[in-house]
Amino acid sequence: MGATTLLRKLKGSMFPKLVLDRTLLDKQIAELQGTLSDVTAKYEAELTAARAAVAQAAAAAAQASAAQATFHFRGYDIPVDLMRMTGGGPETFEEISAMHQKNLAKWIGIEPQHSILEIGCGIGRDAIPLSTTLTRGSYVGVDIIGRSIDWCTAYIGARHPNFRFVHYDVDDQLHNPDGTTRTEAIVLPIEDQSIDRIFLFSVFTHMYQKDIEHYLREFRRVLKPDGLVYATTFIYDDAILESARRTNRTIFNLRFEHELHEGCRINSLEYPLGAVAFTRELWQKMLIAGSMKLAKPILNGQWSGFYDKFDDGQDVLILQPA
Ligand SMILES: C[S@@+](CC[C@H](N)C(=O)[O-])C[C@H]1O[C@@H](n2cnc3c(N)ncnc32)[C@H](O)[C@@H]1O
């Protein structure tokens, strides 16, 4: 067959068929590709959702196991997540507790028959050791973290009926963000002039002037005439601020760059109650407002790096009724 004849034959019959097949195939390929990309998109979305669900479950599991983690301390298994809400964890819990107990004994003296009030008792760092000291006395611990108070009641209070824990649902950005009341509304469930010793470790460091003054007035009301208060605080002046910024002694980077009002500085604008410091002059005014006075000279804290000799991590006011 000649070339011309072959070409004519191809044009006349096979070529259109091939073209038709090719068109069909292209269409089918396009359809398959469409289906494939639909399926891929669908599975990618499902895969992404599945990955997110797995990550969420893992985070929840980690949170749950962290919540269940406990630290054994003097016969108690303390939930580590609640412990961390006191600003520290298992690595320092015992050491800090021992320092607190030593200072309470040294500076205000705790006797077996004493009636004790602690504000900001947290998860019982000091209630637990005191439960063996106060054999004939009593203890009331106050805090604004409901779960910590529930735990203290369920475990410490259950073993020691002379230990009572009270929750106030005070609104506080750090410790109780959904709180419904204010410190100024608190009336301690304690009779007038019935308390021998009050202590607050690292609590006035998280409060403003008006709330501190309110507590001081309550202390004046509930303290016996010879009662004493041990309260830690941050006290500053220019030289102390300079030293704190230069030495940076704590893990909290305490610089107190922001003056809230005269005599009061905060460390962070984002978390204003994270650390609050006062001058001696403002403390003097607050004491007058609360009808309290210094029972001893102010003890020096280590936090600022300003003092060569120090008695506690923070500065300490030992107070008595004025
Ligand atoms: C840094 S932690 C110290 C806890 C405990 N004193 C200790 O040393 O383990 C401060 C505690 O004060 C409590 N707190 C803060 N504001 C309070 C307020 N207005 N009244 C009572 N407790 C408060 C917090 O909930 C937290 O437990």
Side-chain angles (χ1 to χ4, degrees):
M1 193 187 303
T4 320
T5 318
L6 178 63
L7 199 60
R8 197 178 307 122
K9 267 198 160 192
L10 279 173
K11 274 185 182 165
S13 58
M14 275 173 72
F15 228 54
K17 186 171 183 313
L18 278 176
V19 169
L20 187 68
D21 286 354
R22 180 60 206 260
T23 312
L24 259 175
L25 277 174
D26 281 349
K27 204 175 151 211
Q28 281 175 354
I29 287 169
E31 276 171 13
L32 280 172
Q33 273 172 341
T35 312
L36 190 66
S37 68
D38 282 354
V39 169
T40 310
K42 185 170 165 244
Y43 282 112
E44 255 168 20
E46 281 179 13
L47 200 63
T48 308
R51 281 200 187 112
V54 168
Q56 217 174 6
Q63 213 174 9
S65 75
Q68 278 162 12
T70 56
F71 175 71
H72 195 74
F73 176 69
R74 296 193 179 211
Y76 293 87
D77 291 313
I78 302 178
V80 170
D81 63 327
L82 295 179
M83 181 182 284
R84 293 215 179 275
M85 293 186 79
T86 65
E91 58 290 345
T92 52
F93 195 80
E94 269 177 304
E95 184 194 337
I96 293 175
S97 176
M99 183 181 74
H100 288 181
Q101 293 304 304
K102 194 178 114 217
N103 277 342
L104 290 177
K106 177 173 176 183
W107 295 104
I108 59 172
I110 307 276
E111 294 172 16
Q113 77 287 0
H114 271 166
S115 296
I116 306 274
L117 166 65
E118 178 179 11
I119 304 293
C121 61
I123 196 67
R125 189 200 301 273
D126 294 299
I128 290 172
L130 281 179
S131 65
T132 52
T133 312
L134 292 179
T135 47
R136 288 177 283 129
S138 62
Y139 166 102
V140 177
V142 169
D143 208 288
I144 63 174
I145 303 174
R147 284 178 57 224
S148 297
I149 289 297
D150 289 347
W151 185 89
C152 288
T153 304
Y155 292 94
I156 308 172
R159 287 189 209 174
H160 302 278
N162 55 338
F163 276 58
R164 186 157 60 104
F165 297 89
V166 183
H167 176 233
Y168 288 102
D169 194 24
V170 168
D171 181 42
D172 178 291
Q173 183 196 24
L174 281 184
H175 301 99
N176 193 32
D178 298 322
T180 54
T181 187
R182 301 167 299 122
T183 297
E184 283 174 292
I186 292 176
V187 179
L188 296 167
I190 293 173
E191 278 180 29
D192 294 2
Q193 301 198 2
S194 62
I195 293 287
D196 295 290
R197 300 289 183 263
I198 299 174
F199 63 87
L200 310 88
F201 283 105
S202 197
V203 181
F204 281 164
T205 46
H206 300 289
M207 275 190 217
Y208 297 134
Q209 176 179 359
K210 63 179 180 21
D211 295 329
I212 292 177
E213 288 177 353
H214 176 76
Y215 267 132
L216 291 175
R217 282 191 287 271
E218 276 293 275
F219 295 171
R220 178 70 174 83
R221 177 180 72 77
V222 301
L223 266 180
K224 291 179 181 174
D226 61 349
L228 291 172
V229 179
Y230 186 103
T232 70
T233 178
F234 295 123
I235 295 181
Y236 73 88
D237 59 22
D238 289 346
I240 291 172
L241 283 182
E242 186 281 320
S243 170
R245 291 167 190 173
R246 180 170 39 79
T247 60
N248 198 13
R249 281 286 160 86
T250 72
I251 56 167
F252 303 107
N253 192 23
L254 295 174
R255 302 181 61 79
F256 293 109
E257 302 274 6
H258 316 284
E259 183 171 71
L260 203 59
H261 54 82
E262 197 182 340
C264 174
R265 286 182 164 266
I266 54 171
N267 198 49
S268 157
L269 290 176
E270 197 183 351
Y271 299 104
L273 287 177
V276 187
F278 300 97
T279 58
R280 281 174 186 252
E281 293 73 24
L282 188 53
W283 257 116
Q284 207 50 54
K285 281 188 190 158
M286 291 195 278
L287 293 182
I288 290 168
S291 301
M292 297 290 292
K293 65 179 185 186
L294 283 172
K296 297 180 198 297
I298 295 173
L299 305 183
N300 299 328
Q302 184 183 15
W303 70 275
S304 64
F306 183 73
Y307 301 104
D308 293 334
K309 281 185 68 190
F310 42 83
D311 300 292
D312 203 325
Q314 300 170 356
D315 307 302
V316 183
L317 303 169
I318 298 174
L319 308 174
Q320 63 186 20

